[in-house]
Amino acid sequence: MTGYLGSYATLGLLLLAAVLFFVTAFSANRVLRPGRPAEPWGKRATYECGLDPVGGDWAQMQIRYYVYAYLYVLFAVEAVFLFPWALVFDRPGFGVTTVVEMGVFVAVVALGILYAWRRGVLRWT
C-alpha cells in the first residue's frame, strides 16, 4: 500500500490482526479448559521448599536488604551512564563539557555513598 493513507491502512490491518489473535486465543482457552478444574488436597497450602510450613504467615523483613538493593541499583545506573560517557569522551567537541558533567554526576553519587556510610547503613551487623 502506498500513499498517505497506505501507512494508516497497514496499521489498521495490524491492529485488526492483533485483536483477532487475542479473541481467538481467549476463546480457545475457554473452550479447551476443563469444566471443573481438579482441586487436590493441599493445593492452596503454603509451600516452603518442599517442607511443611512452620509458624505463622507473617515475618518481619529487615530494612537493610532493601538498602543494599537500592545501593545496587544506584551503582548499576552509574555504570549505565559511565560506559556511554567513556565512549564519546574522546570525540571532538566533548572534552571539557563532558568531564564537568561526569564530575558533577560522580560527586552526587559520592555524596550519596558518603551519607550512607556516615549513617552506618553499609555496616552489616
Side-chain angles (χ1 to χ4, degrees), residues 73-88:
V73 169
L74 180 73
F75 285 118
V77 168
E78 181 184 7
V80 165
F81 283 125
L82 279 175
F83 287 124
W85 175 79
L87 290 175
V88 300

PDB file of all heavy atoms in Angstrom, residues 73-88:
ATOM      1  N   VAL A  73      21.136  -0.853  42.740  1.00  0.00           N
ATOM      2  CA  VAL A  73      20.513  -0.141  41.626  1.00  0.00           C
ATOM      3  C   VAL A  73      21.253   1.169  41.361  1.00  0.00           C
ATOM      4  O   VAL A  73      21.474   1.549  40.211  1.00  0.00           O
ATOM      5  CB  VAL A  73      19.017   0.102  41.905  1.00  0.00           C
ATOM      6  CG1 VAL A  73      18.408   1.061  40.906  1.00  0.00           C
ATOM      7  CG2 VAL A  73      18.263  -1.209  41.897  1.00  0.00           C
ATOM      8  N   LEU A  74      21.662   1.849  42.414  1.00  0.00           N
ATOM      9  CA  LEU A  74      22.405   3.093  42.253  1.00  0.00           C
ATOM     10  C   LEU A  74      23.696   2.870  41.475  1.00  0.00           C
ATOM     11  O   LEU A  74      24.007   3.601  40.534  1.00  0.00           O
ATOM     12  CB  LEU A  74      22.708   3.693  43.628  1.00  0.00           C
ATOM     13  CG  LEU A  74      23.483   4.989  43.640  1.00  0.00           C
ATOM     14  CD1 LEU A  74      22.589   6.123  43.191  1.00  0.00           C
ATOM     15  CD2 LEU A  74      24.008   5.261  45.037  1.00  0.00           C
ATOM     16  N   PHE A  75      24.454   1.838  41.840  1.00  0.00           N
ATOM     17  CA  PHE A  75      25.702   1.563  41.132  1.00  0.00           C
ATOM     18  C   PHE A  75      25.452   1.051  39.719  1.00  0.00           C
ATOM     19  O   PHE A  75      26.234   1.320  38.810  1.00  0.00           O
ATOM     20  CB  PHE A  75      26.560   0.573  41.909  1.00  0.00           C
ATOM     21  CG  PHE A  75      27.228   1.206  43.101  1.00  0.00           C
ATOM     22  CD1 PHE A  75      26.963   0.764  44.371  1.00  0.00           C
ATOM     23  CD2 PHE A  75      28.111   2.252  42.925  1.00  0.00           C
ATOM     24  CE1 PHE A  75      27.576   1.347  45.463  1.00  0.00           C
ATOM     25  CE2 PHE A  75      28.734   2.841  44.011  1.00  0.00           C
ATOM     26  CZ  PHE A  75      28.460   2.392  45.281  1.00  0.00           C
ATOM     27  N   ALA A  76      24.369   0.313  39.509  1.00  0.00           N
ATOM     28  CA  ALA A  76      24.048  -0.156  38.157  1.00  0.00           C
ATOM     29  C   ALA A  76      23.717   1.022  37.254  1.00  0.00           C
ATOM     30  O   ALA A  76      24.158   1.071  36.100  1.00  0.00           O
ATOM     31  CB  ALA A  76      22.893  -1.142  38.213  1.00  0.00           C
ATOM     32  N   VAL A  77      22.958   1.980  37.773  1.00  0.00           N
ATOM     33  CA  VAL A  77      22.635   3.170  36.981  1.00  0.00           C
ATOM     34  C   VAL A  77      23.896   3.970  36.706  1.00  0.00           C
ATOM     35  O   VAL A  77      24.082   4.495  35.608  1.00  0.00           O
ATOM     36  CB  VAL A  77      21.566   4.022  37.700  1.00  0.00           C
ATOM     37  CG1 VAL A  77      21.420   5.380  37.061  1.00  0.00           C
ATOM     38  CG2 VAL A  77      20.237   3.295  37.706  1.00  0.00           C
ATOM     39  N   GLU A  78      24.768   4.051  37.683  1.00  0.00           N
ATOM     40  CA  GLU A  78      26.029   4.766  37.467  1.00  0.00           C
ATOM     41  C   GLU A  78      26.831   4.106  36.358  1.00  0.00           C
ATOM     42  O   GLU A  78      27.380   4.784  35.491  1.00  0.00           O
ATOM     43  CB  GLU A  78      26.844   4.795  38.756  1.00  0.00           C
ATOM     44  CG  GLU A  78      28.145   5.534  38.592  1.00  0.00           C
ATOM     45  CD  GLU A  78      28.996   5.491  39.839  1.00  0.00           C
ATOM     46  OE1 GLU A  78      28.657   4.776  40.795  1.00  0.00           O
ATOM     47  OE2 GLU A  78      30.027   6.175  39.839  1.00  0.00           O
ATOM     48  N   ALA A  79      26.880   2.785  36.350  1.00  0.00           N
ATOM     49  CA  ALA A  79      27.609   2.083  35.297  1.00  0.00           C
ATOM     50  C   ALA A  79      26.965   2.313  33.934  1.00  0.00           C
ATOM     51  O   ALA A  79      27.667   2.456  32.927  1.00  0.00           O
ATOM     52  CB  ALA A  79      27.664   0.592  35.607  1.00  0.00           C
ATOM     53  N   VAL A  80      25.641   2.370  33.901  1.00  0.00           N
ATOM     54  CA  VAL A  80      24.944   2.621  32.636  1.00  0.00           C
ATOM     55  C   VAL A  80      25.303   3.992  32.091  1.00  0.00           C
ATOM     56  O   VAL A  80      25.399   4.181  30.876  1.00  0.00           O
ATOM     57  CB  VAL A  80      23.417   2.473  32.831  1.00  0.00           C
ATOM     58  CG1 VAL A  80      22.643   3.061  31.680  1.00  0.00           C
ATOM     59  CG2 VAL A  80      23.049   1.016  33.016  1.00  0.00           C
ATOM     60  N   PHE A  81      25.529   4.963  32.953  1.00  0.00           N
ATOM     61  CA  PHE A  81      25.911   6.293  32.492  1.00  0.00           C
ATOM     62  C   PHE A  81      27.410   6.403  32.201  1.00  0.00           C
ATOM     63  O   PHE A  81      27.812   7.188  31.342  1.00  0.00           O
ATOM     64  CB  PHE A  81      25.534   7.354  33.524  1.00  0.00           C
ATOM     65  CG  PHE A  81      24.079   7.681  33.518  1.00  0.00           C
ATOM     66  CD1 PHE A  81      23.341   7.598  34.671  1.00  0.00           C
ATOM     67  CD2 PHE A  81      23.448   8.077  32.354  1.00  0.00           C
ATOM     68  CE1 PHE A  81      21.997   7.898  34.664  1.00  0.00           C
ATOM     69  CE2 PHE A  81      22.106   8.383  32.335  1.00  0.00           C
ATOM     70  CZ  PHE A  81      21.376   8.289  33.494  1.00  0.00           C
ATOM     71  N   LEU A  82      28.230   5.645  32.894  1.00  0.00           N
ATOM     72  CA  LEU A  82      29.678   5.762  32.699  1.00  0.00           C
ATOM     73  C   LEU A  82      30.159   5.166  31.384  1.00  0.00           C
ATOM     74  O   LEU A  82      31.050   5.727  30.741  1.00  0.00           O
ATOM     75  CB  LEU A  82      30.415   5.109  33.863  1.00  0.00           C
ATOM     76  CG  LEU A  82      30.538   5.943  35.128  1.00  0.00           C
ATOM     77  CD1 LEU A  82      31.174   5.131  36.233  1.00  0.00           C
ATOM     78  CD2 LEU A  82      31.334   7.198  34.882  1.00  0.00           C
ATOM     79  N   PHE A  83      29.597   4.049  30.961  1.00  0.00           N
ATOM     80  CA  PHE A  83      30.085   3.398  29.744  1.00  0.00           C
ATOM     81  C   PHE A  83      29.845   4.239  28.496  1.00  0.00           C
ATOM     82  O   PHE A  83      30.766   4.434  27.703  1.00  0.00           O
ATOM     83  CB  PHE A  83      29.510   1.991  29.599  1.00  0.00           C
ATOM     84  CG  PHE A  83      30.108   1.018  30.568  1.00  0.00           C
ATOM     85  CD1 PHE A  83      29.311   0.295  31.432  1.00  0.00           C
ATOM     86  CD2 PHE A  83      31.478   0.818  30.618  1.00  0.00           C
ATOM     87  CE1 PHE A  83      29.865  -0.596  32.337  1.00  0.00           C
ATOM     88  CE2 PHE A  83      32.044  -0.068  31.513  1.00  0.00           C
ATOM     89  CZ  PHE A  83      31.231  -0.779  32.372  1.00  0.00           C
ATOM     90  N   PRO A  84      28.635   4.762  28.263  1.00  0.00           N
ATOM     91  CA  PRO A  84      28.485   5.618  27.073  1.00  0.00           C
ATOM     92  C   PRO A  84      29.334   6.885  27.161  1.00  0.00           C
ATOM     93  O   PRO A  84      29.840   7.369  26.150  1.00  0.00           O
ATOM     94  CB  PRO A  84      27.001   5.967  27.052  1.00  0.00           C
ATOM     95  CG  PRO A  84      26.349   4.956  27.889  1.00  0.00           C
ATOM     96  CD  PRO A  84      27.360   4.514  28.880  1.00  0.00           C
ATOM     97  N   TRP A  85      29.493   7.430  28.353  1.00  0.00           N
ATOM     98  CA  TRP A  85      30.314   8.621  28.523  1.00  0.00           C
ATOM     99  C   TRP A  85      31.755   8.314  28.121  1.00  0.00           C
ATOM    100  O   TRP A  85      32.413   9.108  27.447  1.00  0.00           O
ATOM    101  CB  TRP A  85      30.257   9.085  29.968  1.00  0.00           C
ATOM    102  CG  TRP A  85      31.175  10.220  30.243  1.00  0.00           C
ATOM    103  CD1 TRP A  85      30.977  11.531  29.946  1.00  0.00           C
ATOM    104  CD2 TRP A  85      32.460  10.143  30.864  1.00  0.00           C
ATOM    105  NE1 TRP A  85      32.046  12.277  30.346  1.00  0.00           N
ATOM    106  CE2 TRP A  85      32.980  11.447  30.922  1.00  0.00           C
ATOM    107  CE3 TRP A  85      33.212   9.104  31.384  1.00  0.00           C
ATOM    108  CZ2 TRP A  85      34.211  11.730  31.467  1.00  0.00           C
ATOM    109  CZ3 TRP A  85      34.446   9.387  31.931  1.00  0.00           C
ATOM    110  CH2 TRP A  85      34.928  10.685  31.962  1.00  0.00           C
ATOM    111  N   ALA A  86      32.246   7.155  28.523  1.00  0.00           N
ATOM    112  CA  ALA A  86      33.619   6.791  28.177  1.00  0.00           C
ATOM    113  C   ALA A  86      33.784   6.606  26.671  1.00  0.00           C
ATOM    114  O   ALA A  86      34.863   6.844  26.137  1.00  0.00           O
ATOM    115  CB  ALA A  86      34.011   5.519  28.912  1.00  0.00           C
ATOM    116  N   LEU A  87      32.725   6.207  25.983  1.00  0.00           N
ATOM    117  CA  LEU A  87      32.824   6.011  24.539  1.00  0.00           C
ATOM    118  C   LEU A  87      32.856   7.330  23.766  1.00  0.00           C
ATOM    119  O   LEU A  87      33.511   7.425  22.742  1.00  0.00           O
ATOM    120  CB  LEU A  87      31.652   5.159  24.048  1.00  0.00           C
ATOM    121  CG  LEU A  87      31.696   3.699  24.471  1.00  0.00           C
ATOM    122  CD1 LEU A  87      30.432   2.984  24.023  1.00  0.00           C
ATOM    123  CD2 LEU A  87      32.917   3.007  23.901  1.00  0.00           C
ATOM    124  N   VAL A  88      32.138   8.355  24.248  1.00  0.00           N
ATOM    125  CA  VAL A  88      32.095   9.616  23.499  1.00  0.00           C
ATOM    126  C   VAL A  88      33.087  10.643  24.031  1.00  0.00           C
ATOM    127  O   VAL A  88      33.194  11.731  23.483  1.00  0.00           O
ATOM    128  CB  VAL A  88      30.681  10.242  23.501  1.00  0.00           C
ATOM    129  CG1 VAL A  88      29.692   9.321  22.870  1.00  0.00           C
ATOM    130  CG2 VAL A  88      30.265  10.656  24.889  1.00  0.00           C
TER     131      VAL A  88
END
